[in-house]
Amino acid sequence: MDQAEQLRNVVKSKQARSVSKARVITITSGKGGVGKSNIAVNLAVQLRKMGKKVIIFDADMGLANVEVMFGAIPKYNLSDLIYHGKKLKEIITEGPMEIGFISGGNGITGMNNLTKNQLSRLVNSMGELDGLTDFILIDTGAGIANNVMEFVTSSPEVLLVLTPEPSSLTDSYSLIKALYGNPGFVRHSTNIEVVVNRTVSPEDGQTVYEKLSSVISKFLQGEVHFFGTIPQDIMLEKSVRAQRIVSLSVPNAKSVRAFERLAQSLIDGEPVIEPDRQGIRELFRGLFQ
């Protein structure tokens, strides 16, 4: 092999690495009101501060939490891509710090009735996100609604958000039980990590996680992993009421330090998952299998 050919192979190798798939993380919960969307937005801000490109896909039907917190109303949503010929970049709205977000709109409910051509267009279009960003955060609805289960079932990496309240614990267990009962769910291909929000102390979050982990292990023969906690924080509560992002409005708040740690953990800890389960294209393809 001559020197010129070696150089060409090096260039090809670098090009192949440059089209690596975006990290897809689905953020969900067993019940509403646990701070799921707030966590998605603040994680996005912290990842962006660490130099990562981030896009949030808002799949929470009926609620517009992400756009409210971003203070930006999307001109187009997923329905416009599916039914009205809009391109992917046209349905991405830019929020603060150049964080992009996509509103699912009514396109989420109509995905099961797509024609073959519409399905192909959706899967291929969403696959373009891999070349646009490093992280894709999917903010789902809560509970075991169909659109929630479809996204969680197809996701390689799931952040399950709950609080120390007993009802949040039982609802989280119900979500995992429904997930394990879904024929499309493959346990060894999905990494489920628990985030406990509104904790009084780190030990408080660890206790909640251990209770959930114990019942999942005993009754479902499954496992979840502890990812971290976010403390009860008056500054966070005030920011939510003011429709602001605490990571931007009060960057020294104790909850912000927790978001920083979680974001750093995401960057440092690459989960072990099957290669063909990675990437947003595979996730959307999995939704229809």
Side-chain angles (χ1 to χ4, degrees), residues 1 19 60 73 106 113-114 141 171 179 230 261 280 282:
M1 183 185 298
V19 293
D60 194 348
I73 300 175
N106 294 327
N113 300 315
L114 299 183
D171 287 334
L179 181 63
I230 300 166
R261 289 192 294 270
I280 192 71
E282 282 74 19

Side-chain angles (χ1 to χ4, degrees), residues 139-196:
D139 180 16
T140 74
I144 56 176
N146 284 340
N147 66 301
V148 176
M149 294 307 299
E150 287 166 356
F151 276 102
V152 177
T153 298
S154 302
S155 295
E157 192 171 356
V158 176
L159 290 187
L160 175 61
V161 180
L162 65 157
T163 67
E165 296 176 2
S167 59
S168 179
L169 190 64
T170 55
D171 287 334
S172 296
Y173 172 76
S174 297
L175 175 66
I176 298 296
K177 182 179 179 180
L179 181 63
Y180 279 9
N182 189 308
F185 179 66
V186 182
R187 295 192 188 194
H188 69 270
S189 297
T190 304
N191 188 42
I192 301 177
E193 298 187 305
V194 173
V195 177
V196 185

Side-chain angles (χ1 to χ4, degrees), residues 208-221:
V208 172
Y209 161 73
E210 289 175 357
K211 288 180 180 178
L212 178 63
S213 179
S214 176
V215 294
I216 289 174
S217 176
K218 181 178 180 179
F219 296 108
L220 302 177
Q221 292 74 55

Side-chain angles (χ1 to χ4, degrees), residues 9 93 97 99 102-103 106 115 127 129 142 144 190 198 243:
N9 288 338
T93 303
M97 298 183 65
I99 298 170
I102 297 173
S103 171
N106 294 327
T115 66
L129 287 175
I144 56 176
T190 304
R198 301 171 190 157
Q243 297 181 353

Side-chain angles (χ1 to χ4, degrees), residues 20-194:
S20 60
K21 296 171 182 175
R23 180 100 168 265
V24 181
I25 301 170
T26 296
I27 302 173
T28 193
S29 61
K31 62 174 289 186
V34 298
K36 173 177 53 62
S37 298
N38 197 42
I39 289 173
V41 168
N42 280 282
L43 277 180
V45 169
Q46 296 303 330
L47 288 169
R48 191 73 190 93
K49 286 182 177 180
M50 296 173 184
K52 301 298 182 180
K53 291 181 286 187
V54 187
I55 291 177
I56 300 177
F57 181 77
D58 189 354
D60 194 348
M61 282 298 299
L63 296 174
N65 291 333
V66 174
E67 59 190 71
V68 169
M69 295 179 70
F70 276 176
I73 300 175
K75 187 175 181 179
Y76 303 113
N77 58 38
L78 190 65
S79 295
D80 295 297
L81 184 146
I82 297 172
Y83 303 111
H84 303 129
K86 295 299 179 183
K87 296 181 180 179
L88 178 69
K89 289 186 177 181
E90 292 181 281
I91 70 167
I92 298 176
T93 303
E94 187 173 294
M97 298 183 65
E98 298 181 329
I99 298 170
F101 78 95
I102 297 173
S103 171
N106 294 327
I108 300 295
T109 57
M111 286 198 303
N112 288 330
N113 300 315
L114 299 183
T115 66
K116 185 176 180 179
N117 287 338
Q118 288 171 333
L119 173 59
S120 177
R121 173 176 169 76
L122 173 61
V123 171
N124 290 332
S125 295
M126 296 307 291
E128 295 175 21
L129 287 175
D130 283 327
L132 298 177
T133 190
D134 300 309
F135 282 85
I136 300 170
L137 306 183
I138 300 177
D139 180 16
T140 74
I144 56 176
N146 284 340
N147 66 301
V148 176
M149 294 307 299
E150 287 166 356
F151 276 102
V152 177
T153 298
S154 302
S155 295
E157 192 171 356
V158 176
L159 290 187
L160 175 61
V161 180
L162 65 157
T163 67
E165 296 176 2
S167 59
S168 179
L169 190 64
T170 55
D171 287 334
S172 296
Y173 172 76
S174 297
L175 175 66
I176 298 296
K177 182 179 179 180
L179 181 63
Y180 279 9
N182 189 308
F185 179 66
V186 182
R187 295 192 188 194
H188 69 270
S189 297
T190 304
N191 188 42
I192 301 177
E193 298 187 305
V194 173

